[in-house]
Amino acid sequence: MDTLKNADQLLVHQEVELLELFTSFEGANKYSIKNLQGQQVFFASENSSACARQCCGASRGFEIEIFDSSSKIIAKAIREFKCCSTTCPWFLCCDCLRHEMRIECPPGEPAGSLRQIKTAYSTLYEISDPDGNPLFLIKKPKCVGLCFESTFKILTMDKGTQVGRINKEFSGLMKEMMTQADNFSVVFPPGADVKTKAVLLSAVFFIDFMYFEKSSEKGSSVGPM
């Protein structure tokens, strides 16, 4: 837990699944999480049913457990499946349409949540503390999927100041074309506590599923444009 507490920035690399590379079978996502020196400090693994992965694709519900170097679970991210969810900010008047995820750190102890909020035009995600008090906003960039790199800005609640970011990094032409494995980096806001950092780290997985997870059948991103 001290590693996460003291981290200013982390690198997140999705592992290549060989079965997915040669077949249409959708496997559980796995991520190695490294510091700026390239040392692996955490590992994250998805828990979901094979049926959900094949039938629901990137829209599936899941749990992602984050392990430290001693294989102890330090945090858990939970996203429920919502059959009526939407990515359009104009149709978010009902909670059943919102994409959201809750985070526990350590498991069983609420750390905060991430939820899509209604706006006139842009797509925003609200980061809240365990009591539901809003802390930050994550803003989706205009270019997602078509660009080699995309930056999701972490903003203050008044949208006036950028205090951090989540970057989708270019993984190389062959890796981008042939696999679903993506590379990310997350820069935490100054002064963020360990629970908030767990929420923002989990937001990387959320963004990966929302915008960069490819459909096995269609071979294209299912995330919103």
Side-chain angles (χ1 to χ4, degrees):
M1 194 72 74
D2 286 341
T3 301
L4 182 58
K5 180 181 179 181
N6 296 326
D8 297 319
Q9 181 174 350
L10 291 172
L11 309 176
V12 180
H13 303 301
Q14 185 177 354
E15 297 192 350
V16 176
E17 294 287 341
L18 293 180
L19 187 60
E20 290 183 11
L21 187 60
F22 297 107
T23 72
S24 62
F25 184 83
E26 178 73 25
N29 286 3
K30 297 179 176 63
Y31 304 86
S32 60
I33 303 166
K34 303 178 180 180
N35 59 23
L36 291 182
Q37 289 71 47
Q39 301 168 323
Q40 182 170 325
V41 291
F42 302 112
F43 178 78
S45 179
E46 173 193 354
N47 285 328
S48 61
S49 70
C51 179
R53 293 196 298 272
Q54 310 321 307
C55 298
C56 304
S59 300
R60 63 187 180 266
F62 60 78
E63 292 185 359
I64 291 184
E65 295 174 326
I66 303 174
F67 301 83
D68 65 12
S69 57
S70 64
S71 299
K72 178 182 178 181
I73 302 175
I74 64 164
K76 181 187 292 187
I78 304 103
R79 188 183 77 168
E80 305 291 344
F81 170 70
K82 290 188 176 182
C83 63
C84 298
S85 60
T86 179
T87 55
C88 178
W90 295 352
F91 298 99
L92 295 175
C93 54
C94 178
D95 282 343
C96 70
L97 301 178
R98 301 175 191 264
H99 290 278
E100 56 187 351
M101 183 171 67
R102 68 182 189 276
I103 296 87
E104 300 173 354
C105 180
E109 185 175 318
S113 62
L114 182 156
R115 67 195 301 263
Q116 192 175 10
I117 61 174
K118 182 180 179 182
T119 62
Y121 300 104
S122 60
T123 301
L124 294 172
Y125 299 93
E126 183 180 86
I127 301 295
S128 299
D129 69 13
D131 297 319
N133 301 310
L135 300 173
F136 303 107
L137 295 171
I138 296 178
K139 184 178 181 180
K140 168 186 166 289
K142 293 181 180 180
C143 181
V144 176
L146 300 177
C147 302
F148 287 138
E149 297 187 0
S150 301
T151 298
F152 294 74
K153 297 179 180 179
I154 302 174
L155 307 172
T156 54
M157 287 303 300
D158 62 4
K159 308 177 194 176
T161 306
Q162 181 180 343
V163 292
R165 66 182 182 273
I166 294 172
N167 281 355
K168 161 65 171 66
E169 312 283 357
F170 181 57
S171 305
L173 188 60
M174 291 300 295
K175 188 174 180 181
E176 293 281 350
M177 292 178 61
M178 300 298 296
T179 77
Q180 298 186 35
D182 297 305
N183 292 337
F184 297 87
S185 64
V186 53
V187 178
F188 299 114
D193 61 22
V194 68
K195 290 185 179 294
T196 302
K197 289 180 179 180
V199 175
L200 292 170
L201 176 59
S202 299
V204 174
F205 313 134
F206 185 91
I207 287 170
D208 185 33
F209 273 84
M210 287 286 294
Y211 297 101
F212 303 104
E213 186 77 359
K214 298 179 180 64
S215 165
S216 320
E217 297 180 356
K218 297 181 181 180
S220 61
S221 173
V222 299
M225 300 302 292

